[in-house]
């Protein structure tokens, strides 16, 4: 399912250009245009899912695929430590209403995040 007004649906559908790092039937990974770390890749389901809040058991395949792809990309980028973040809702910093994982690495990370 796609949302015609959704930027990340357009990226998944190649209507909007992006720097694609990896792609499968279910997931696309592309570089963030405003990187917050030396490696900053976004991983999205091709289907429109608003956020992690909307995930159901039926999304099991895409959830497994998105985490497997993140681990592969981290390995390919030579990251031995990295962070995976997903913001849920504007109050937590979600600016695009299409589920995405941020894969961040290549610098030291502090905790808790701001
Ligand atoms: P969030 O704020 O968690 O919703 O994350 C959205 C991310 O998408 C931000 O880190 C933006 O820099 C990134 N972003 C927005 N537009 C694009 C785009 N066209 N291509 C790649 N990344 C984008």
């Amino acid at each position: 399912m796609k949302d015609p007004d959704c930027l990340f649906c357009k990226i998944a559908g190649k209507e909007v250009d992006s720097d694609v790092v990896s792609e499968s039937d279910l997931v696309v990974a592309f570089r963030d245009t405003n990187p917050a770390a030396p490696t900053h890749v976004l991983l999205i389901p091709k289907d429109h899912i608003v956020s992690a809040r909307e995930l159901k058991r039926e999304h099991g395949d895409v959830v497994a695929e998105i985490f497997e792809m993140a681990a592969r990309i981290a390995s390919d980028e030579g990251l031995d430590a990295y962070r995976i973040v997903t913001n849920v809702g504007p109050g937590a910093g979600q600016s695009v209403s299409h589920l995405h994982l941020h894969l961040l690495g290549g610098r030291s990370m502090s905790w808790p995040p701001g």
Side-chain angles (χ1 to χ4, degrees):
M1 215 163 11
K2 309 282 179 217
D3 175 342
D5 299 322
C6 169
L7 171 63
F8 285 180
C9 283
K10 290 179 185 168
I11 286 178
K14 307 288 159 49
E15 293 164 58
V16 169
D17 283 342
S18 68
D19 184 358
V20 172
V21 175
S22 186
E23 181 166 8
S24 71
D25 286 349
L26 297 175
V27 175
V28 187
F30 53 97
R31 295 197 190 277
D32 198 296
T33 46
N34 185 24
T39 293
H40 189 170
V41 173
L42 301 175
L43 296 102
I44 63 169
K46 287 187 171 176
D47 276 349
H48 187 74
I49 300 169
V50 171
S51 77
R53 185 166 27 216
E54 282 69 34
L55 286 173
K56 306 283 185 229
R57 196 164 288 269
E58 72 207 45
H59 298 118
D61 283 354
V62 74
V63 170
E65 174 67 22
I66 207 166
F67 278 97
E68 281 185 2
M69 189 181 286
R72 263 198 317 274
I73 293 167
S75 172
D76 290 348
E77 300 264 325
L79 304 176
D80 60 346
Y82 54 93
R83 186 166 288 170
I84 291 172
V85 175
T86 188
N87 296 320
V88 179
Q94 185 176 10
S95 62
V96 180
S97 296
H98 182 127
L99 173 65
H100 47 284
L101 300 189
H102 296 259
L103 169 62
L104 298 153
R107 64 166 169 81
S108 61
M109 305 271 168
S110 60
W111 190 264

